[in-house]
Amino acid sequence: MKPHTKPLAGLRVLELARILAGPWCGQLLADLGAEVIKIERPEVGDDTRTWGPPFVTDAAGNAWGAAYFHATNRGKSSVAIAFEMPEGQAVIRQLAAEADILIENFKVGGLKKYGLDYESLKQINQRLIYASITGFGQDGPYAARAGYDYIIQGMSGLMDITGEPEREPQKVGVAVVDIFTGVYTSTAILAAVRGREISGEGCHIDMSLFDTATAILANQASNYLVSGKSPSRLGNAHPNIAPYQVFRVADGHIIVAVGNDGQFQKFCAALGATDIAANTDYATNAQRVGVRLALQAELEPFLVQKTRSQWLEALETAGVPAGPINRIEDVFNDPQIIHRGLKLDLTAADGSKVSGVASPIVINGERMSAASPSPMLGSGQAQWTSK
C-alpha cells in the first residue's frame, strides 16, 4: 500500500484542539492518510510547544517545540490564526466549509461566541462531522468545568485502584485518559464518516474525558457493579487472577502472568515447588485469588534464588507467561521493537529531523504513520490541497 492510498486519503480534518486528547485524535487520522490543518494561536501556538525540557531544535539550531508537542502532532500543517478576530473567524469558516471533520476541545460553548460552534458551521457545511472533546461532556452538572487528565484520573476512580495499598493513590505514568479519549474520538469520527455515506449529513460528536475514564475501568467497574464492593489498590497484583504480579528475583524483578490452572502447575514445576502445586488450597484460580498473600509468601523464596534472565528463560521454556520490567531506554533497544519499526526518524522540508514513535496500526504490511514531522508554528497555508 503506497502512502497516497492510505485509507483516509482525501479526508480533510480541521483541528482546533490543543494539549493532548484532540491532537492525539488528529495525529491518528493523519497517520491514516487524512489531511490535517492544525489551527494555532499566533506567536504561542499549542500550549505543549513550551512543555519542556526536552526541546527539539531544527536544522538551524532554533527551538522547534518541546518533545511533548512532537509526540502528538506529526503529519499536520500549522496555520496561525487569531480566531478571536473577525478576519480569523472568516478564515476558519472558509476552511470548515470544505472540511470533512472538525476537532475542537474548548469549554462547552467556548466557540459559540465566535460563530464557530457546530450549529453555526452546520449552516455552511451540512456534511461536517464536528467532534467536541471536553472534560465532562456537553451537558450535566459538571459541563461548564474545565477537564484535566490528572483530575479526571482521580475523579473516575482510576487513581484509587492504582498504586500500593498502604500508600497514596497513584496516577498512571502517562496521560492515559487524554490518550484514550483521542482514540475513542477517532473511532467515533470514522463511524460518523460511514454514517454520512448513508445519510449524506454530518453530525456533532460529544466526547468526555470523564466518560472515557469511567469506560476504561473495564473489569474493575464490572467487579464493583456485580459485587457491590469497591475494588482497592493491589499494587502490581491482579484483582481477578493469581499469581499475576511482580516478583523479586536475585537481581531485580520480573512479571509472572499465570492465566489459568494449567499454567499454575507449569509455574510450580519450573520453580521446583512441588508442595505448592499439590496444595489443594491453590487448586483453582478462584481459590488462589482468595489467598493471594499466603501464596505469594510461599512462592517468593523460590524466585529469589535465580536471576531475571535465568527465570525468563526457564519460564519461557515451561510455557509460563513472564516478562521483564524495562526502562524506556530498554524498550527502544528491544529487538522486537527495532524489527517492527516503532522508532520514527522524520525529516522536514528544510532538513530538520525529529525522532518519535510510530503508529501501532499496520495495514497490508504498511505501518500507518505520517511521513512528515510536527509542523513549525504557522508554516502551513490556510487552504486545502486539491482533491
Side-chain angles (χ1 to χ4, degrees), residues 238-262:
H238 194 287
N240 301 107
I241 317 171
Y244 199 99
Q245 63 191 88
V246 170
F247 284 102
R248 182 180 295 279
V249 296
D251 61 347
H253 298 83
I254 62 170
I255 300 166
V256 177
V258 171
N260 56 54
D261 297 338

Side-chain angles (χ1 to χ4, degrees), residues 36-233:
V36 181
I37 293 180
K38 181 180 181 70
I39 304 299
E40 300 189 73
R41 295 180 183 275
E43 299 181 4
V44 295
D46 189 308
D47 298 19
T48 60
R49 286 185 181 272
T50 64
W51 284 14
F55 292 94
V56 174
T57 54
D58 63 19
N62 300 314
W64 185 13
Y68 195 121
F69 174 80
H70 288 275
T72 187
N73 285 291
R74 69 170 167 266
K76 307 173 186 178
S77 62
S78 169
V79 176
I81 295 177
F83 53 82
E84 299 91 342
M85 305 298 292
E87 55 269 30
Q89 296 161 19
V91 172
I92 293 176
R93 288 193 194 94
Q94 180 181 350
L95 290 168
E98 299 179 23
D100 295 287
I101 298 151
L102 186 149
I103 304 168
E104 62 92 6
N105 62 351
F106 286 76
K107 288 184 180 180
V108 173
L111 290 175
K112 186 173 184 178
K113 58 186 173 183
Y114 305 124
L116 301 176
D117 58 308
Y118 173 65
E119 291 301 328
S120 297
L121 295 183
K122 180 182 178 181
Q123 303 307 311
I124 61 174
N125 183 356
Q126 289 286 325
R127 291 176 56 81
L128 182 65
I129 295 166
Y130 190 109
S132 295
I133 299 174
T134 58
F136 299 95
Q138 297 294 305
D139 51 30
Y142 301 161
R145 294 186 187 181
Y148 298 91
D149 177 281
Y150 200 164
I151 294 172
I152 301 295
Q153 285 198 39
M155 292 182 67
S156 68
L158 185 59
M159 286 178 62
D160 192 52
I161 58 172
T162 304
E164 297 294 333
E166 69 278 5
R167 304 195 62 174
E168 66 183 17
Q170 187 68 49
K171 71 178 179 65
V172 181
V174 296
V176 65
V177 177
D178 275 333
I179 291 171
F180 264 104
T181 303
V183 173
Y184 270 110
T185 303
S186 69
T187 301
I189 286 170
L190 296 180
V193 170
R194 173 58 178 148
R196 188 178 65 179
E197 292 176 359
I198 300 169
S199 69
E201 295 186 356
C203 63
H204 186 201
I205 296 170
D206 171 11
M207 298 299 303
S208 154
L209 269 66
F210 198 19
D211 291 356
T212 298
T214 303
I216 64 172
L217 291 175
N219 60 299
Q220 292 281 40
S222 292
N223 289 344
Y224 163 70
L225 294 171
V226 169
S227 71
K229 297 178 182 179
S230 286
S232 58
R233 289 189 296 286

Side-chain angles (χ1 to χ4, degrees), residues 309-372:
S309 60
Q310 288 174 320
W311 278 124
L312 292 177
E313 181 179 357
L315 294 175
E316 182 174 1
T317 300
V320 178
I325 301 172
N326 287 331
R327 300 179 63 193
I328 291 180
E329 177 183 3
D330 299 327
V331 174
F332 288 101
N333 288 308
D334 189 290
Q336 181 68 15
I337 294 298
I338 293 171
H339 174 82
R340 295 283 288 176
L342 266 292
K343 180 176 178 288
L344 276 180
D345 292 301
L346 298 175
T347 304
D350 68 346
S352 302
K353 298 181 183 298
V354 62
S355 296
V357 184
S359 165
I361 300 172
V362 177
I363 300 176
N364 285 343
E366 181 188 350
R367 189 166 292 283
M368 295 286 109
S369 285
S372 60

Side-chain angles (χ1 to χ4, degrees), residues 27-39:
Q27 178 174 267
L28 178 52
L29 299 178
D31 282 339
L32 291 166
E35 180 183 0
V36 181
I37 293 180
K38 181 180 181 70
I39 304 299

